[in-house]
PDB file of all heavy atoms in Angstrom:
ATOM      1  N   LYS A 197       2.607   9.168   1.428  1.00 98.00           N
ATOM      2  CA  LYS A 197       1.506   9.227   2.398  1.00 98.00           C
ATOM      3  C   LYS A 197       1.921  10.153   3.524  1.00 98.00           C
ATOM      4  O   LYS A 197       3.086  10.107   3.977  1.00 98.00           O
ATOM      5  CB  LYS A 197       1.244   7.802   2.908  1.00 98.00           C
ATOM      6  CG  LYS A 197       0.041   7.611   3.802  1.00 98.00           C
ATOM      7  CD  LYS A 197      -0.123   6.117   4.082  1.00 98.00           C
ATOM      8  CE  LYS A 197      -1.353   5.810   4.919  1.00 98.00           C
ATOM      9  NZ  LYS A 197      -1.560   4.338   5.084  1.00 98.00           N
ATOM     10  N   ASN A 198       0.999  10.975   4.025  1.00 98.00           N
ATOM     11  CA  ASN A 198       1.476  12.008   4.960  1.00 98.00           C
ATOM     12  C   ASN A 198       1.758  11.508   6.384  1.00 98.00           C
ATOM     13  O   ASN A 198       1.795  12.294   7.319  1.00 98.00           O
ATOM     14  CB  ASN A 198       0.562  13.232   4.951  1.00 98.00           C
ATOM     15  CG  ASN A 198      -0.831  13.009   5.529  1.00 98.00           C
ATOM     16  OD1 ASN A 198      -1.039  12.169   6.383  1.00 98.00           O
ATOM     17  ND2 ASN A 198      -1.785  13.795   5.054  1.00 98.00           N
ATOM     18  N   LEU A 199       2.020  10.198   6.521  1.00 98.00           N
ATOM     19  CA  LEU A 199       2.597   9.708   7.780  1.00 98.00           C
ATOM     20  C   LEU A 199       4.094   9.526   7.698  1.00 98.00           C
ATOM     21  O   LEU A 199       4.743   9.131   8.653  1.00 98.00           O
ATOM     22  CB  LEU A 199       1.916   8.400   8.234  1.00 98.00           C
ATOM     23  CG  LEU A 199       1.850   7.171   7.346  1.00 98.00           C
ATOM     24  CD1 LEU A 199       3.182   6.539   7.055  1.00 98.00           C
ATOM     25  CD2 LEU A 199       0.913   6.153   7.991  1.00 98.00           C
ATOM     26  N   PHE A 200       4.705   9.804   6.508  1.00 99.00           N
ATOM     27  CA  PHE A 200       6.167   9.783   6.365  1.00 99.00           C
ATOM     28  C   PHE A 200       6.712  11.174   6.700  1.00 99.00           C
ATOM     29  O   PHE A 200       6.213  12.188   6.203  1.00 99.00           O
ATOM     30  CB  PHE A 200       6.566   9.429   4.912  1.00 99.00           C
ATOM     31  CG  PHE A 200       6.380   8.000   4.558  1.00 99.00           C
ATOM     32  CD1 PHE A 200       5.171   7.549   4.110  1.00 99.00           C
ATOM     33  CD2 PHE A 200       7.438   7.089   4.668  1.00 99.00           C
ATOM     34  CE1 PHE A 200       4.974   6.211   3.749  1.00 99.00           C
ATOM     35  CE2 PHE A 200       7.261   5.746   4.331  1.00 99.00           C
ATOM     36  CZ  PHE A 200       6.019   5.310   3.893  1.00 99.00           C
ATOM     37  N   ASP A 201       7.766  11.205   7.492  1.00 98.00           N
ATOM     38  CA  ASP A 201       8.398  12.476   7.809  1.00 98.00           C
ATOM     39  C   ASP A 201       9.053  13.097   6.582  1.00 98.00           C
ATOM     40  O   ASP A 201       9.733  12.397   5.813  1.00 98.00           O
ATOM     41  CB  ASP A 201       9.503  12.282   8.870  1.00 98.00           C
ATOM     42  CG  ASP A 201       8.963  11.998  10.258  1.00 98.00           C
ATOM     43  OD1 ASP A 201       7.756  12.125  10.469  1.00 98.00           O
ATOM     44  OD2 ASP A 201       9.792  11.658  11.141  1.00 98.00           O
ATOM     45  N   ILE A 202       8.823  14.403   6.408  1.00 98.00           N
ATOM     46  CA  ILE A 202       9.502  15.210   5.418  1.00 98.00           C
ATOM     47  C   ILE A 202      10.159  16.346   6.184  1.00 98.00           C
ATOM     48  O   ILE A 202       9.465  17.069   6.932  1.00 98.00           O
ATOM     49  CB  ILE A 202       8.544  15.756   4.357  1.00 98.00           C
ATOM     50  CG1 ILE A 202       7.899  14.599   3.566  1.00 98.00           C
ATOM     51  CG2 ILE A 202       9.247  16.710   3.430  1.00 98.00           C
ATOM     52  CD1 ILE A 202       6.804  15.050   2.607  1.00 98.00           C
ATOM     53  N   ALA A 203      11.448  16.496   6.086  1.00 98.00           N
ATOM     54  CA  ALA A 203      12.184  17.475   6.884  1.00 98.00           C
ATOM     55  C   ALA A 203      11.575  18.850   6.725  1.00 98.00           C
ATOM     56  O   ALA A 203      11.324  19.325   5.615  1.00 98.00           O
ATOM     57  CB  ALA A 203      13.646  17.490   6.483  1.00 98.00           C
ATOM     58  N   GLY A 204      11.317  19.497   7.862  1.00 98.00           N
ATOM     59  CA  GLY A 204      10.779  20.860   7.859  1.00 98.00           C
ATOM     60  C   GLY A 204       9.267  20.935   7.784  1.00 98.00           C
ATOM     61  O   GLY A 204       8.712  22.024   7.841  1.00 98.00           O
ATOM     62  N   GLU A 205       8.594  19.771   7.695  1.00 98.00           N
ATOM     63  CA  GLU A 205       7.139  19.764   7.598  1.00 98.00           C
ATOM     64  C   GLU A 205       6.553  18.973   8.764  1.00 98.00           C
ATOM     65  O   GLU A 205       7.180  18.051   9.270  1.00 98.00           O
ATOM     66  CB  GLU A 205       6.680  19.166   6.269  1.00 98.00           C
ATOM     67  CG  GLU A 205       7.177  19.970   5.058  1.00 98.00           C
ATOM     68  CD  GLU A 205       6.623  19.447   3.730  1.00 98.00           C
ATOM     69  OE1 GLU A 205       5.678  18.608   3.785  1.00 98.00           O
ATOM     70  OE2 GLU A 205       7.160  19.844   2.689  1.00 98.00           O
ATOM     71  N   VAL A 206       5.342  19.331   9.148  1.00 98.00           N
ATOM     72  CA  VAL A 206       4.637  18.596  10.185  1.00 98.00           C
ATOM     73  C   VAL A 206       4.083  17.304   9.603  1.00 98.00           C
ATOM     74  O   VAL A 206       3.463  17.306   8.541  1.00 98.00           O
ATOM     75  CB  VAL A 206       3.520  19.446  10.800  1.00 98.00           C
ATOM     76  CG1 VAL A 206       2.703  18.620  11.795  1.00 98.00           C
ATOM     77  CG2 VAL A 206       4.067  20.684  11.447  1.00 98.00           C
ATOM     78  N   THR A 207       4.301  16.178  10.292  1.00 98.00           N
ATOM     79  CA  THR A 207       3.800  14.900   9.843  1.00 98.00           C
ATOM     80  C   THR A 207       2.373  14.752  10.353  1.00 98.00           C
ATOM     81  O   THR A 207       2.137  14.503  11.524  1.00 98.00           O
ATOM     82  CB  THR A 207       4.687  13.758  10.372  1.00 98.00           C
ATOM     83  OG1 THR A 207       6.032  13.991   9.988  1.00 98.00           O
ATOM     84  CG2 THR A 207       4.231  12.410   9.839  1.00 98.00           C
ATOM     85  N   LEU A 208       1.408  14.886   9.450  1.00 98.00           N
ATOM     86  CA  LEU A 208      -0.005  14.966   9.853  1.00 98.00           C
ATOM     87  C   LEU A 208      -0.602  13.620  10.207  1.00 98.00           C
ATOM     88  O   LEU A 208      -1.472  13.515  11.081  1.00 98.00           O
ATOM     89  CB  LEU A 208      -0.836  15.571   8.719  1.00 98.00           C
ATOM     90  CG  LEU A 208      -0.516  17.039   8.370  1.00 98.00           C
ATOM     91  CD1 LEU A 208      -1.259  17.434   7.109  1.00 98.00           C
ATOM     92  CD2 LEU A 208      -0.875  17.954   9.521  1.00 98.00           C
TER      93      LEU A 208
END
Side-chain angles (χ1 to χ4, degrees):
K197 187 174 184 175
N198 69 28
L199 57 66
F200 287 86
D201 287 351
I202 298 173
E205 299 185 13
V206 174
T207 305
L208 295 172

